[in-house]
Structure formats: C-alpha cells, structure tokens
Amino acid sequence: MTRKAIEVKELNFSYPDGRKALVDINLDVYEGEALGVIGPNGAGKSTFLLHLNGILRGNSKIKILGIEMENKSLPQIRSRAGLLFQDSENQLFMPTVFEDVAFGPLNMDLSKDEVEVVVKEALKEVDMLDYIYHHPHHLSFGEKRRIALATVLAMKPKILLLDEPTSNVDPKHRRDLINFLKELDNLTKVIATHDLELVFEVCSRVALLDQGRLITSGNPLEILKDKTLLAAHSLEVPRWLSS
Amino acid sequence: MKHTFIDQYSHKESLLHKIDPRIKVISFLVFILFVISTPKDSFLKFGLYGVLIIGLILFSKISPWSIFKRSLVVIPFTLMIFLFIPFFKEGVVMGTFFLGPLRLEVTYEGLQILGNSLAKAYLSVLCMILLISSTKFSHLLKAVERLGLPKVMLLILSFMYRYIFVIYEEFLKMWQVKEARSVGGSRLFQIKALANMVGTLFIRTYERAENVYLAMCARGFDGNIRTIDNFQLRRGDVFFLLIMILSLMSVRLV
Ligand SMILES: Nc1ncnc2c1ncn2[C@@H]1O[C@H](COP(=O)(O)OP(=O)(O)O)[C@@H](O)[C@H]1O
Ligand SMILES: [Mg+2]
C-alpha cells in the first residue's frame, strides 16, 4: 500500500477580512499521485495550495510525507514540497535569473558548485538556460512562469504544488510542460488549473472545489465528462471530450 | 513597457565593463576622495581629473553624449544651493547688482567657492554615472557586499532594483486605463483620480511585499541571506586599480 504524501483533515480557513476561503476540507494524496484541483475563480484553489507548504496556516492538522505541519518542521516541509505561486512577479525577486533559481538551493546549504549544477539543470528543464544572466523584469509573462517553475524544480522537491502552471504560457512550451510533468511520475503533484487538457493528460485524480468546499474528487475522465456537475460550478466539458 | 534606466549601458562590452566590480567601486571611490580633497583654487587639477574621467568614458565605449545628458540632472540641484554663495560670502567685491531695493554684491571668494563646489560635484557625479553605467546592477550589489556592506542593506537595494520597475509599470498601466476612460473632466477630478491611484498603489505594494516575503519563505528563507559570487581578481583588474591610483597621485602632485 502506498504511503500518504499529503494528509489534510478538517481544514478551515478565513482571510483576515472574515471571508471563508476554505471550509471543512478533508483530502489525502498518495505518493506518486497527481491530483488536479479544478474550480471556478475564487473557489479557493490557490488558498488550498498555500496551505500545503505552510504559507497559510488554517486550524487543521496537515501532514506532509508524514511530517506534522508545525513551526519547527516548516523548513523540512518546504524543502520537500515546492510551490509554484500563481503570480510569478512575486516569486522572482532577485536581480538575475541565476540568483533567483539559486535562492532555494542556497537556503538548503548546498555548496557553490552543487548550486551551479542544479540551477543549470532546472533552467534546462524549462528551456530557459539562455536567460540565466537576464533580469527577471525583462522577460515575458510565460518566460517568468517557466523560470518560476525552475526555482521550484531546483530545490528537488518530493511534492510539486503548481498553481496554474500553464497560464500565459505559449502552446509549444505548454505542451513541453505537460510532457515534462508526465515524465515526472515519481513525484507527487497537486496542480490547480483551468487547463482541463493538462488535468486529463497528467492527473490521476481530480478534486473539484467551489466556494471553499470540496465538492467531489475522483477519476478525471468521469468528472471531466459530467456535464451537469461541471455546469453547476461554472465549468464546462471540453469540446474534445464531449464528442 | 520595459525599463532599464539604471544600468542601461551595462551590457556593452569594453575593457571597463570587464574590470572586476569590486576594483571599480574602490577605484571610483578613491577618485572621488581625491577630487573632493583638492584645494579649492587648483583649477588645473580639476581640469586634469576631468581629462582622466573623460578618458575613462571614451574607454568605456558608452556614448559620451548619454553620460553628459544624465549628468545634467544634477546641475539644477547644485546650482540652487551654490548660486547664493557668491552673494553671501564676504570678501573682495567683484560687482554689485540691484534687484529693486535689494543690493547684491558678488565677491571673489564667493565665486571661487561656487566654481570649486561645482567642479567637485560635477566630477564626482560623472564618476558615479560612469561606474553605474558600466557595471550591471547585480554585480555592483555583490561588489559592495564583498566590500562589507551589511547583507540586509544589500537585500533592500536588490529588491529596490527588482521592484522599482514593477511598481512604476503598475502605475503606468493604471494611468493608461484612466486616460483611456477619461473624456475631459475637471482638473479637480483629475487630481482626485491621481490621489486614488497613489492610494491603490500603496496598498498593492504593501500586499506585494507580503507576498514576496511569503515566496521567499516558501523557498526556505530563514532570515539568513546566502549569495553566490563568482568574482575572480585577474591581473588586469589589479593593473587597472594601480593605473587609476597612479594617475590620481600624479594629478595631485602637479
Ligand atoms: N489575500 C486575501 N485576502 C482576502 N481574501 C482573499 C485573499 N486572497 C484570496 N481571497 C479570497 O478567497 C477566495 C479564494 O481565493 P483563491 O484561493 O485565490 O481562489 P482561486 O485560486 O480558486 O481562484 C476568493 O473569494 C478570494 O477573493
Ligand atoms: Mg488562484
């Protein structure tokens, strides 16, 4: 029996302005599983992902790879669960791409040479090695997105938490990204996205969120084909699936 | 909307661009020290320092015109302060003006101070502009880090460099949206809109700061700043430093 990579019990969370963003979420993700998190805008997908790496802390028990989420286990958890934020502008904060990708590995106390190697590997994965000495500011949206992904990959996480990884990425690189995610089948993945094709190709399970509640979770094909269910939550069955 | 106003020319390739940033920072600081410690009546020396810096500018392959344009920015500030000095310094009267009931006397000592301050300020500014235009900002940051600037200051500076453009662009975008929607409208209305935009910008910037901090935490930031630097002193760098000091010394001894 495979182990649980992520264990979420009775997660409730409200933003400081009182808005309930997550209500009673119970969800387990097993090692090696790829969970697609879908739902309309404002469903709470991003909020949920932020909890899995300890950025937000609702009143709940969350376990990552068997480690209880507490203040003192945060460094451990963060080096194992890498989070791609929805907004790359905030995720790329150093003056050059190289320094940005190196930021995580340096915090893990890798040696200088090791850092160089992992940075280059990660940039190669996202096809951005040529931009290693550029300023993040001068890159396009999709390019920033790919670099942001590299910053996560460079930390060699066991769990990938991706918040809309394909938004604003051009078709070729979106395709590359999907194929790349498919290859990473030894990693546990949680992917929040509106890109249902990505979900269909990469994910082994889908969770549907709406208004902070977990509506259902299950087989991607079954959920993605369910017209009434999707329509009830401002989503629609993709054309290529309905025919 | 892309901006590079700080280190626009730092990607050129000249010998000056290739010098180790630490060496550049040190030699340009030494240059400034020499300039400001020059006695006030040695105009020949100011001239020679000028020749030296012009030589460096040519050497850097950055267009002298662009450096000149940038340097003009400081002139109004220096002038504002120094214009009054010729009138208020006591000494040999060179001329008298009447401004209505006001009687203004220009003194020789006053003029000397003006010339002296202007020369020093201008030379120093040229020097800083050249340093900044010939060095990538990220290298400059690392150089000052290696020279002992506290890491916190360093991080603040790098964030400034990273986000100044982002915030500026955010402002520009808001401005364009406003322009696109405003057809006429009174002046007071325009000012109100501007005030609103600045307010929004403050809130957004505050939230952004929070999010950047969280993004840092997500990648294992624990309050200690770790950086890599790959600077290596080569013979040319030391050579450059020595030549600079030698030239400065010889001007001093003229
Ligand atoms: N920083 C915040 N402060 C207050 N409310 C927020 C904040 N971030 C998100 N929300 C609210 O929480 C809800 C869930 O947001 P989010 O998790 O970003 O949704 P999704 O990623 O699914 O689009 C939304 O109603 C949103 O308006
Ligand atoms: Mg979101």
Side-chain angles (χ1 to χ4, degrees), chain A residues 95-97 133-139, chain B residues 7 11 136-138 161:
Chain A
T96 65
V97 169
Y133 297 116
H134 281 230
H135 303 246
H137 184 69
H138 297 168
L139 305 171
Chain B
D7 53 358
H11 298 271
K136 287 192 186 134
F137 199 79
S138 51
Y161 181 64

Side-chain angles (χ1 to χ4, degrees), chain B residues 132-149:
Chain B
I132 290 174
S133 338
S134 69
T135 316
K136 287 192 186 134
F137 199 79
S138 51
H139 288 178
L140 202 60
L141 287 176
K142 277 200 196 127
V144 290
E145 176 191 10
R146 286 302 298 265
L147 295 172
L149 190 79

Side-chain angles (χ1 to χ4, degrees), chain B residues 87-148:
Chain B
F87 301 110
F88 296 115
K89 179 82 184 169
E90 290 183 3
V92 186
V93 177
M94 304 269 292
T96 314
F97 298 93
F98 290 96
L99 260 181
L102 264 184
R103 184 165 170 272
L104 298 175
E105 287 176 343
V106 177
T107 63
Y108 176 71
E109 283 78 0
L111 272 184
Q112 206 177 35
I113 291 181
L114 170 67
N116 172 56
S117 325
L118 213 56
K120 285 181 180 174
Y122 193 68
L123 284 172
S124 308
V125 161
L126 272 187
C127 179
M128 288 325 280
I129 291 176
L130 184 59
L131 172 64
I132 290 174
S133 338
S134 69
T135 316
K136 287 192 186 134
F137 199 79
S138 51
H139 288 178
L140 202 60
L141 287 176
K142 277 200 196 127
V144 290
E145 176 191 10
R146 286 302 298 265
L147 295 172

Side-chain angles (χ1 to χ4, degrees), chain B residues 185-198:
Chain B
S186 71
R187 192 160 183 84
L188 183 66
F189 178 76
Q190 300 272 342
I191 291 173
K192 265 190 191 159
L194 187 68
N196 273 331
M197 272 165 33
V198 172

